[in-house]
Amino acid sequence: MSDTAFHDLSAFVALPRTAGLALSPDGSRLVTGVAALDADGTRYRTALWEVDPSGGRPARRLTRGAAGESGPEFLPSGDLLFTSARPDPDAGSEADSTPPALWLLPAGGGEAAPFASRPGGISGVAVAAEAGSVVALSPTLPSAVTTADDEARRSARTDAKVTAILHSGYPVRHWDHDLGPAEPRLLLHTGTPDGLDDWTDLTPAPGRALDEAAFDVSPDGATVVTGWSVPLPHGREGSRVVAIDTAGGTRRDLLADDAHEYGAPRISPDGTRVVAIRERISTPEQAPRMDLVVVPLAGGDAEPVAPDWDRWPTAVRWTADGTALIVTADEDGRGPLFRVELATGDVTRLTGDRGAYTDPCPSPDGAWVYALRSAVDAPPAVVRVDAHAPDSGPELLPGPVPPPALPGTLSEVETTTGDGVRVRGWLVLPDGASADAPAPLLLWIHGGPLGSWNAWAWRWNPWLMAARGWAVLLPDPALSTGYGQDFVQRGWGDWGAAPYTDLMAVTDAAEARPEVDASRTAAMGGSFGGYMANWVAGHTDRFAAIVTHASLWALDQFGRTTDHSGYWMTEMTPEMAEANSPHRHADAIVTPMLVIHGDKDYRVPIGEGLRLWWDLVSRQADPDANPHRFLYFPDENHWVLTPNHSRLWYETVFAFLGHHVLGEGWETPDLLR
C-alpha cells in the first residue's frame, strides 16, 4: 500500500488526534477532544466532540472556538464545562492574551458562555456529582489574597517587564517550564457565572504543594481530596493525599508516611472512601513498587487492594455501586482494563486484545466501561467494554476520527536470555517484506525507563518508518513495566547490564526472521531510550547508524542538573552513575550518530546533548570526514511537538538512516540548508 498518510509527512501530521473522555452523570453522553491542525498548519487546536454511548448515532462536533477547548466536565444538570482561552465576547479581550477560563455549554443546546475566570487561568476542574460544586486549580501569585489582587500584581510585573523568580526551595522547574512565581491553588466557585471574585480560596499559601496535583471532590461537595507535595531533607519531595473541608478550608493528612508516595485520589460514589495509587519510595538498591490503597474519607487506616497482584496501576475509577474498581495497568506489551473486587481482592482482566486503555469511565448502570483504546497499530478511539465479562473484546463506537490505513503489519518477537528470562517486543513489518525482499531493521528503544511499548505513539511513530520500507523492533527490556516486579528490579540501578543484553538478545531474534535483513540495521531511542542508544554506541559496532534523542550521556552531570534531582538520588548512587555512564565509553564509538536535543528540555538538560556532541566531534581528526550530525531545536522541549518541527525531525532521521544504512546520498532537508 503506497497511498497511506504515513507515506507523506504533511498528511501524517495533519491526522486528527483523539484524547480525553468524559461521561455525563446519566450515562447518555460521552465527550472527547480531537486535536487538528489550525489554518496555518503550525499548531494543533482541540475541539470537543460528542460520541453516542450506545453506538447508534455518529459523533457530532460541539465546539468550534478558534482558541480550542479541553478538559470537559459534566455538571449534574448535564451542562458541560470546559476550559478555553477563547476571548469573552462581552469583554473585548483578545484570544492571544486570554488565559484559559471556564465555559459552559448548556445541555439543551445553544452557544457556550463564560462561566468563571481567573487572572492566571484555570488548569483543572472537578465537579461534585450531586451538589454540583465546582473546584478549580488556578495559578496565583504568592502574596495575592483576592482575584483582583492577583490581577493587579500580575499587571505590575508585566508593566515593569519583570520575569525574575525568587526561590527558597526545590524544584525550580518542571519538564519545559519554570515553576513560579505563581503557585497553583484550589478554589471553590461560589458565585454566579462570570463573577470575577466568585471564588473561595481553599489553599492559601500552598507553596509548590499542588504542582501536578490530581484532585477530586466528594458527591456532596463538602470535601476535596488532592495530592499534596511536601519538601523533604536534602532537596527531595514527598507526595501525600490530603482532605480539605470546603466550608472552612481545614486540611488534614489522609495518606502520608515516610516509605511511600501517594497520588491520583478518587472518592467513592457514596462519599465514604478514597482510593489512591501508592508508590514505594525507591532506593538505589530497591526499585519502586506501585499498588492501590483504600482509606475512609473520614480518616483511618489504609487497606491495600489486591496486594498480591503483580501489576502497577496507572489509572483507577470506582464502579457506580462502589463494590469494585476499574483499573488500567501495563501487562505483557498491552494495557488492559481490569476489574478489582474490593471484598475479595479478585482481579479480572476485562480486555483480552492487544489494546492499551486510558480514561476509563464506568457507566452508572454498571454494565459498561467506556474508554479510549489505542495499540501500537491503532490510534486512540472511543470504545465500550463489558464491565463484567473477562477478556472480552472492545466495541468500537462511531467516533470523530476514522482509523488510518497502515503500510504494514504487526507481530510479536520474543526470546529467552542467557539468565533464563523471557523478553519480548513488537515487530512492525512493511508491506512487501519477505524472505526474497527482506527489510532493513530499526531497533527503537522506549523511554522511561519504567514504561512499555504498548500504545499508539504520535511523536515516535513506527509506521512512518514502515512506509519507507523499514522493519521496526519495539522491545521491552529489563526495567519495562507489565512483566512483574522482578523484571523491573532486574535492571534497577544497573542500566548498562540486563537492559542492554536484553535489547541485543531480542534484536538477534528479530534478525533471525526471514523478512528482516540483518546486514542493514540501525538503533534509535529517546530519553532513557537515548541513554540506551548511547550505551549501545559505546559497546557494539553491529549497527550502521544510531539516532539519540534527548539522551542522557554523562550521569555525573545529569543527576545534578535534571529538573528533579532528588528523585535521581533514589535511583543511583554516585558509584552506580559512574559505572553506568555512557560518556566513559566515548573512545569506543565508531558508529555514525545523529544527536537530537531541544534547549527547553529540563528533564534531560541541553548540557547532555552539548557534552555528547563535543565528545563526538573532538575525537574527529578530520573535521571534513565527521560522520555525526547534531539536530538542535532552540525552542523545543523533551519532545518535539510543533508540526513543522516534527516533519523536520523525521526528514532528518530519514536522511541520516538512508545515508548510513541504505547507502543513499546525503541530502540535507530543505529547511536546514
Side-chain angles (χ1 to χ4, degrees), residues 537-538 540-544 585-593 616 627-628:
T540 181
D541 62 357
R542 69 183 290 176
F543 300 103
H585 306 279
D587 286 338
I589 295 177
V590 296
T591 305
M593 297 186 70
L616 291 174
H628 311 296

Side-chain angles (χ1 to χ4, degrees), residues 173-519:
R173 54 189 192 172
H174 183 72
W175 282 121
D176 64 350
H177 60 276
D178 298 316
L179 297 177
E183 304 164 341
R185 297 187 192 180
L186 284 171
L187 308 168
L188 175 67
H189 188 252
T190 56
T192 57
D194 203 27
L196 185 63
D197 284 306
D198 293 331
W199 296 98
T200 295
D201 193 342
L202 301 177
T203 56
R208 306 256 53 101
L210 290 166
D211 286 335
E212 304 296 312
F215 61 98
D216 195 16
V217 58
S218 62
D220 62 5
T223 309
V224 175
V225 294
T226 181
W228 191 269
S229 295
V230 294
L232 298 175
H234 308 297
R236 289 201 59 243
E237 296 175 279
S239 297
R240 56 187 61 178
V241 170
V242 302
I244 301 171
D245 177 9
T246 59
T250 304
R251 186 179 76 243
R252 54 187 169 85
D253 285 343
L254 199 61
L255 291 166
D257 64 67
D258 293 337
H260 300 91
E261 294 190 317
Y262 298 88
R266 304 291 300 191
I267 300 176
S268 63
D270 64 3
T272 64
R273 294 164 293 167
V274 177
V275 64
I277 296 177
R278 178 174 69 173
E279 178 179 351
R280 181 179 67 196
I281 296 175
S282 62
T283 69
E285 294 74 32
Q286 185 179 58
R289 185 181 187 276
M290 311 280 281
D291 63 359
L292 295 169
V293 293
V294 170
V295 64
L297 181 57
D301 294 333
E303 295 291 335
V305 177
D308 297 328
W309 187 36
D310 197 12
R311 292 293 179 264
W312 288 10
T314 53
V316 58
R317 296 293 185 271
W318 293 86
T319 58
D321 61 7
T323 64
L325 302 171
I326 302 299
V327 183
T328 61
D330 294 345
E331 182 172 76
D332 202 42
R334 290 119 172 114
L337 286 170
F338 298 89
R339 181 185 180 95
V340 183
E341 303 295 339
L342 288 172
T344 64
D346 291 342
V347 179
T348 301
R349 188 177 62 197
L350 298 178
T351 53
D353 65 330
R354 63 187 181 205
Y357 292 81
T358 64
D359 303 88
C361 297
S363 66
D365 63 4
W368 302 100
V369 180
Y370 302 100
L372 289 182
R373 178 202 181 270
S374 80
V376 173
D377 60 349
V382 183
V383 300
R384 67 176 184 178
V385 174
D386 191 312
H388 300 276
D391 289 342
S392 60
E395 179 184 346
L396 182 65
L397 299 176
V401 181
L406 300 178
T409 58
L410 183 68
S411 60
E412 291 188 77
V413 175
E414 66 176 64
T415 190
T416 301
T417 64
D419 55 349
V421 175
R422 169 182 173 263
V423 176
R424 60 158 300 284
W426 296 106
L427 180 64
V428 171
L429 288 173
D431 288 332
S434 67
D436 295 329
L441 178 69
L442 176 61
L443 166 65
W444 211 327
I445 311 167
H446 72 63
L450 304 175
S452 171
W453 282 123
N454 61 12
W456 183 263
W458 288 110
R459 290 191 300 270
W460 287 58
N461 193 282
W463 301 102
L464 288 167
M465 301 304 303
R468 286 149 186 83
W470 287 82
V472 183
L473 176 62
L474 306 169
D476 279 353
L479 289 172
S480 298
T481 52
Y483 304 91
Q485 190 69 28
D486 289 346
F487 198 76
V488 175
Q489 186 64 47
R490 192 165 152 267
W492 189 255
D494 203 5
W495 288 5
Y500 170 70
T501 56
D502 284 0
L503 288 170
M504 296 302 99
V506 75
T507 301
D508 290 342
E511 289 181 351
R513 296 277 295 263
E515 307 95 334
V516 172
D517 184 350
S519 68

Side-chain angles (χ1 to χ4, degrees), residues 22-61:
L23 179 66
S24 65
D26 64 0
S28 66
R29 301 176 65 197
L30 278 168
V31 172
T32 188
V34 177
L37 280 181
D38 63 5
D40 62 7
T42 59
R43 54 183 171 177
Y44 294 98
R45 301 286 191 189
T46 300
L48 300 181
W49 286 71
E50 183 173 334
V51 176
D52 179 12
S54 70
R57 300 187 305 273
R60 66 185 183 99
R61 186 168 178 171

